[in-house]
Amino acid sequence: MNTYSVFKCDEHIDWEVIPTIVLENDPWHDDIGYRMYGQVAWNESGLYVHQWCKEDFIRAEIFESNKMVSDDSVMEFFIMPGYEDRYINIEVNPNGRFIFGFCRKRNDWIRLIAMTGEDYLTAKTNYTENGWEV
């Protein structure tokens, strides 16, 4: 398992100085050629996550939050808020649409319904030369 320390920053988030982690372990799929990278920072105003994926064939057909964005290309962020066996799963697609889950295991999760994911998170997505980022 990879470990990563969340970077504390001032009000200005400078992604150039925040350490990057390569996320290349997928226990559920064979290697299909994509690679994901991430950075996490925090300050008194919030938690900031920057992820990008090298992906040849991007699927982005879901335009509503609380739908199964995992049917599209998707990046996930997991938060374990003090529980050893529970975590929050946040999934976002290239259209910036979210789905939230409260989980114990991969197939044992409860969807957390919000009015929209945008009520709780702000996402900016961009297509890049060889993939996309959020």
Side-chain angles (χ1 to χ4, degrees), residues 51 58-70 72-75 90-100 115-127 132-134:
Q51 295 176 309
I58 300 169
R59 178 183 161 108
E61 297 182 13
I62 305 291
F63 288 91
E64 298 175 60
S65 289
N66 293 322
K67 301 291 182 189
M68 291 305 292
V69 297
S70 58
D72 281 348
S73 296
V74 68
M75 285 191 257
I90 302 168
E91 300 180 22
V92 61
N93 75 355
N95 297 322
R97 299 302 178 246
F98 298 98
I99 190 169
F100 302 92
M115 291 300 288
T116 66
E118 296 79 12
D119 290 338
Y120 301 95
L121 301 175
T122 301
K124 296 178 185 176
T125 59
N126 297 301
Y127 288 91
W132 63 286
E133 69 180 336
V134 62

Side-chain angles (χ1 to χ4, degrees), residues 104-121:
R104 287 181 185 255
K105 298 182 243 178
R106 182 170 188 244
N107 294 316
D108 180 17
W109 69 286
I110 299 167
R111 184 184 302 184
L112 301 176
I113 302 291
M115 291 300 288
T116 66
E118 296 79 12
D119 290 338
Y120 301 95
L121 301 175

